[in-house]
Amino acid sequence: QVQLVESGGGEVQTGGSLTLACTPSGRTFSRLAVGWFRQASGQEREFVAAINQRDGDAASADSVKGRFTIFRDNNKNTAHLQMNGLRPEDTAVYYCAAKEPRGLRRLRSPDWYDYWGQGTQVTVSS
């Protein structure tokens, strides 16, 4: 069973930066598709960014394009979400998700993923 652990959350002011990390157990991360999702208070979980086994194949939500970047560090078996230019509307609990892809990929859908972390809080103050 794969377990995911997120870290790197915190509280920053508008315009600040944070980098989140996701570390798995029981599987090499390079063999899994990885996604980042977030859930604000009173809202449904929404897609943020994802990457498949190929580093060049990535996707991100329109709301974070140009500000957030997802990338892997295969040597450390870790996936990251680098967040720049943070805004108050980015405030949410951020979750890492993963799946061994077989067949059609649905990287933007939370229902597609098999493994989830417990989440890390990101708070952006005005």
Side-chain angles (χ1 to χ4, degrees), residues 31-107:
R31 302 171 67 90
L32 304 174
V34 179
W36 284 95
F37 295 79
R38 66 187 183 187
Q39 187 166 15
S41 179
Q43 304 295 317
E44 295 186 351
R45 191 166 300 185
E46 67 173 345
F47 170 76
V48 177
I51 189 169
N52 63 17
Q53 308 100 302
R54 304 174 185 176
D55 291 341
D57 291 335
S60 61
D62 290 340
S63 60
V64 305
K65 283 185 182 299
R67 300 189 297 122
F68 292 10
T69 303
I70 184 171
F71 64 97
R72 301 176 185 269
D73 186 340
N74 290 328
N75 189 48
K76 297 180 179 180
N77 198 32
T78 301
H80 299 271
L81 181 69
Q82 182 176 324
M83 305 182 293
N84 299 321
L86 285 164
R87 307 164 180 169
E89 53 263 40
D90 295 318
T91 295
V93 176
Y94 283 70
Y95 297 91
C96 179
K99 180 182 178 66
E100 182 177 351
R102 297 187 300 274
L104 182 64
R105 292 165 171 79
R106 305 194 303 277
L107 298 176

Side-chain angles (χ1 to χ4, degrees), residues 21-33:
C22 177
T23 302
S25 63
R27 188 72 66 86
T28 301
F29 233 171
S30 63
R31 302 171 67 90
L32 304 174

